[in-house]
């Protein structure tokens, strides 16, 4: 059997074929007996006949039931089934009677259905449904997330998560093609990497521990240990009290780290990876984009188009960015963070993906490379840290790392951190350390760009924010 993405789906004990297969290969299957299974999208017909519209992961197909052709009780149970119940039917493939067309009009392509001889309701759906699956009843995001198991059955929502899987697949395959290997770092940790205030504390037997904010220190240790190019796709936890469309308290961070690389080298890796993801989606997954657009159209929302970005992405240094913001009337001084409303002014000039390299050292974490030789236009110390933005949103932070242990320890002290708390990390630099660089990309933020979603919660299956820990 063939799945929705061309993969092989072996027949199982519950079905010999997917609905998509019968729909697409119906002409060759006429008269063949098949067993299919799916959700009941509509059950129509009274008396001795019943039309059952089934849906599975590959599409829709109509099953036609006639009381005379099957066990009467089975017929009655299926005819009485509520929408979204799961139903298995066995029958022969037949061509549907073609609709009448006006003279001279071409005949529509043949459609197929199943003439049912046997079947069973596998699980009856309760009524009413808390959120509509086929009907477009407007419910808020919170109700949808409370009922994600049903929300996911909606075609465009399902398409979002198929795309999410594709993005991870294409990202992985690109990095592997560039010699990166996948690693996994611990999520239970003893000290912060991204600043101490937003850690979730946990009790770890007799001692205190935290949930990891980033694989940062561990991906560096892996590289220092000789795994020259690594990547990790894993959860990061931040106890931030943000309540915005782009912040969650648990998110999937897509990280890389590479030895013998500087900030520019890893920016190149990142733009090549994004280019690969967009090219692959463009080539293989237009059907998923179409499903999303079909919904957007029904809501009068702007449709998305997967335009493969051209390389290289623009690089706008921090100093230039400050000048752009000032010229656009924004209030900002050298050394300030570039906030979303500032990003709007930059995005007016650079609407797509753009890097913001060479941030002031004072704005970047202790592990970022101190560039003694580069001063900003107001004389401030620059670093080799960068961000990647799309429009007003930050997608990625990264940079070359500090590999000189004395500077690293001084950076820690400058940021009021005690080097003694970080010996498990700094010790990794005492026995020869290659210059290295990397980045961390927020997967949900990238998906927001690709799918045109207005909120990261749309592209996270079970989001965790300040007011949500279930489902
Ligand atoms: P940073 O803290 O900037 O950098 O995080 C990297 C990227 O992760 C995403 N992100 C988030 N997404 C959703 N909710 C959040 N609360 C959230 N916080 C961050 C963003 C961000 O750009 N160690 C460095 C990376 C590195 O230098 O390699 C780090 O974690 O898209």
């Amino acid at each position: 059997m063939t799945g929705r993405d061309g993969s092989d789906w072996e027949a199982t004990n519950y079905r010999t074929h997917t609905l998509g297969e019968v729909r697409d290969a119906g002409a060759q299957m006429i008269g063949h007996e098949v067993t299919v299974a799916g959700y009941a999208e509509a059950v129509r017909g009274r008396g001795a006949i019943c039309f059952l519209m089934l849906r599975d992961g590959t599409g829709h197909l109509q099953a036609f039931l006639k009381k005379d052709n099957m066990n009467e009780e089975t017929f009655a149970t299926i005819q009485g089934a509520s929408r979204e119940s799961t139903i298995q039917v066995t029958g022969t493939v037949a061509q549907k009677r073609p609709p009448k067309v006006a003279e001279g009009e071409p005949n529509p392509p043949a459609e197929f259905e199943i003439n049912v001889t046997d079947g069973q309701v596998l699980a009856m759906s309760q009524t009413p449904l808390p959120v509509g699956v086929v009907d477009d009843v407007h419910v808020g995001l919170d109700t949808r997330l409370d009922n994600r198991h049903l929300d996911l059955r909606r075609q465009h929502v399902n398409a979002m998560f198929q795309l999410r899987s594709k993005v991870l697949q294409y990202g992985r395959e690109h990095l592997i093609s560039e010699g990166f290997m996948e690693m996994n770092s611990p999520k239970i940790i003893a000290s912060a990497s991204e600043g101490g205030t937003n850690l979730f504390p946990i009790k770890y037997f007799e001692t205190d521990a935290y949930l990891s904010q980033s694989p940062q220190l561990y991906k560096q240790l892996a590289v220092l240990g000789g795994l020259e190019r690594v990547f990790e796709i894993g959860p990061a936890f931040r106890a931030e009290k943000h309540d915005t469309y782009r912040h969650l308290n648990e998110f999937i961070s897509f990280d890389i780290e590479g030895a013998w690389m500087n900030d520019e080298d890893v920016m190149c890796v990142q733009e090549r990876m994004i280019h690969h993801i967009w090219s692959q989606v463009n080539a293989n997954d237009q059907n998923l984009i179409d499903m999303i657009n079909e919904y957007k159209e029904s809501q009068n929302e702007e449709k998305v188009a997967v335009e493969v970005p051209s390389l290289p992405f623009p690089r706008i240094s921090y100093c230039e960015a400050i000048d752009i913001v000032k010229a656009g009337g924004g209030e900002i001084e050298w050394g300030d963070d570039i906030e979303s409303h500032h990003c709007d002014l930059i995005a007016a000039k650079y609407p797509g993906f753009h890097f913001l390299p060479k941030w002031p050292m004072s704005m970047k974490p202790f592990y970022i490379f101190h560039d003694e030789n580069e001063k900003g236009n107001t004389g401030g110390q620059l670093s080799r840290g960068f961000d990647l933005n799309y429009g007003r949103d930050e997608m990625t932070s990264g940079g070359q790392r500090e590999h000189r242990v004395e500077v690293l320890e001084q950076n820690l002290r400058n940021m009021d951190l005690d080097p003694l708390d970080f010996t498990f990390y700094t010790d990794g630099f005492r026995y020869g350390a290659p210059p290295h660089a990397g980045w961390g990309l927020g997967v949900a933020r990238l998906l927001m760009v690709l799918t045109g979603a207005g909120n990261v919660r749309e592209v996270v299956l079970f989001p965790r924010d300040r007011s949500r820990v279930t489902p």
Side-chain angles (χ1 to χ4, degrees):
M1 290 203 282
T2 312
R4 54 195 150 212
D5 58 355
S7 56
D8 284 336
W9 286 20
E10 292 293 334
T12 70
N13 287 313
Y14 283 97
R15 61 179 179 192
T16 59
H17 294 80
T18 63
L19 301 177
E21 275 178 308
V22 178
R23 179 194 59 215
D24 298 340
Q28 290 100 58
M29 293 175 75
I30 288 179
H32 285 251
E33 187 181 85
V34 295
T35 297
V36 296
Y39 300 94
E41 214 168 77
V43 192
R44 284 180 282 116
R46 287 175 187 275
I49 57 168
C50 168
F51 298 95
L52 168 66
M53 183 55 84
L54 281 177
R55 178 188 76 242
D56 72 4
T58 63
H60 300 88
L61 196 75
Q62 179 168 287
F64 176 61
L65 290 78
K66 221 169 162 183
K67 203 183 205 168
D68 297 348
N69 288 350
M70 56 193 297
N71 174 294
E72 215 168 288
E73 203 180 317
T74 308
F75 175 86
T77 312
I78 296 179
Q79 193 179 42
S82 44
R83 290 207 290 180
E84 294 304 313
S85 299
T86 47
I87 300 182
Q88 178 194 47
V89 292
T90 298
T92 47
V93 178
Q95 184 165 347
K96 259 169 123 175
R97 190 183 304 164
K100 283 210 174 82
V101 291
E103 233 183 81
E105 287 288 310
N107 282 324
E111 287 189 50
F112 304 93
E113 63 184 355
I114 297 173
N115 283 332
V116 177
T117 50
D118 197 8
Q120 59 174 321
V121 175
L122 299 168
M124 193 68 91
S125 169
Q126 285 185 20
T127 55
L129 297 170
V131 295
V133 174
V134 182
D135 306 325
D136 187 26
V137 185
H138 185 77
V139 288
L141 183 57
D142 262 329
T143 311
R144 287 178 43 213
L145 292 176
D146 286 342
N147 295 281
R148 192 57 132 176
H149 47 272
L150 277 177
D151 184 51
L152 256 181
R153 293 190 194 178
R154 300 162 80 204
Q155 183 168 267
H156 69 284
V157 178
N158 202 288
M160 294 263 203
F161 289 96
Q162 290 185 56
L163 264 180
R164 185 180 165 112
S165 162
K166 296 285 182 172
V167 163
L168 296 178
Q169 178 191 332
Y170 300 143
R172 263 198 181 93
E173 78 192 13
H174 180 77
L175 290 177
I176 291 169
S177 80
E178 290 207 18
F180 287 82
M181 55 173 270
E182 189 155 3
M183 65 167 274
N184 302 104
S185 64
K187 301 302 159 208
I188 299 174
I189 53 151
S191 54
S193 64
E194 309 298 323
T197 52
N198 51 18
L199 283 163
F200 281 115
I202 58 167
K203 195 82 203 133
Y204 191 66
F205 301 106
E206 279 73 46
T207 173
D208 290 331
Y210 307 95
L211 293 178
S212 166
Q213 298 162 304
S214 156
Q216 183 62 41
L217 307 185
Y218 293 94
K219 61 181 181 169
Q220 285 189 258
L221 286 175
V223 165
L224 296 174
L227 302 180
E228 287 198 353
R229 292 181 174 199
V230 294
F231 73 93
E232 173 162 334
I233 304 173
F237 304 91
R238 308 264 170 109
E240 294 162 346
K241 291 187 175 169
H242 292 299
D243 183 15
T244 76
Y245 67 94
R246 62 179 184 181
H247 287 95
L248 291 175
N249 296 106
E250 176 181 342
F251 64 94
I252 297 296
S253 184
F254 195 145
D255 280 75
I256 75 155
E257 203 64 30
W260 323 113
M261 288 182 153
N262 70 7
D263 46 347
E264 177 58 30
D265 293 320
V266 291
M267 283 192 270
C268 291
V269 175
Q270 170 123 103
E271 63 190 4
R272 286 193 295 265
M273 182 179 100
I274 291 178
H275 186 271
H276 178 76
I277 293 172
W278 255 243
S279 307
Q280 291 300 303
V281 169
N282 200 31
N284 307 321
D285 305 311
Q286 192 55 45
N287 60 327
L288 300 175
I289 300 289
D290 290 345
M291 289 179 199
I292 293 168
N293 279 337
E294 208 176 289
Y295 177 75
K296 285 189 186 285
E297 205 169 7
S298 74
Q299 303 298 304
N300 289 326
E301 286 175 21
E302 201 183 326
K303 295 205 272 181
V304 280
V306 183
E307 280 159 23
V308 181
S310 49
L311 298 185
F313 295 167
R315 274 112 167 113
I316 304 128
S317 72
Y318 175 85
C319 294
E320 285 173 71
I322 297 296
D323 290 344
I324 294 173
V325 173
K326 280 185 168 167
E331 271 187 34
I332 198 164
E333 290 307 324
W334 202 93
D336 289 345
D337 198 2
I338 303 179
E339 317 247 358
S340 293
H341 59 279
H342 300 131
C343 291
D344 287 336
L345 297 168
I346 302 169
K349 207 167 164 193
Y350 298 98
F353 289 109
H354 55 274
F355 286 110
L356 300 170
K358 299 188 190 302
W359 282 64
M361 193 60 214
S362 56
M363 303 288 304
K364 284 289 164 188
F366 62 84
Y367 51 77
I368 291 288
F369 189 85
H370 226 82
D371 207 341
E372 291 95 349
N373 302 322
E374 281 220 54
K375 300 260 193 282
N377 47 10
T378 56
Q381 182 71 61
L382 289 180
S383 77
R384 292 203 190 149
F386 65 85
D387 283 355
L388 173 75
N389 281 19
Y390 184 97
R392 71 183 337 237
D393 295 320
E394 178 192 312
M395 301 284 120
T396 303
S397 290
Q400 182 172 345
R401 318 306 187 183
E402 187 53 74
H403 63 283
R404 299 159 298 181
V405 72
E406 329 71 62
V407 186
L408 192 55
E409 288 180 327
Q410 189 53 48
N411 286 353
L412 281 166
R413 281 190 287 270
N414 291 348
M415 292 178 188
D416 286 332
L417 294 165
D418 183 354
L420 287 178
D421 289 340
F422 289 86
T423 50
F424 77 95
Y425 169 68
T426 49
D427 283 354
F429 294 76
R430 294 188 202 287
Y431 311 97
H436 58 288
W439 42 252
L441 161 74
V443 171
R445 296 209 184 160
L446 191 66
L447 269 143
M448 266 176 57
V449 176
L450 185 67
T451 64
N455 191 318
V456 280
R457 289 161 184 78
E458 294 281 358
V459 292
V460 174
L461 261 182
F462 298 107
R464 292 290 175 258
D465 60 28
R466 247 182 110 186
S467 52
R468 181 175 290 282
V469 278
T470 51

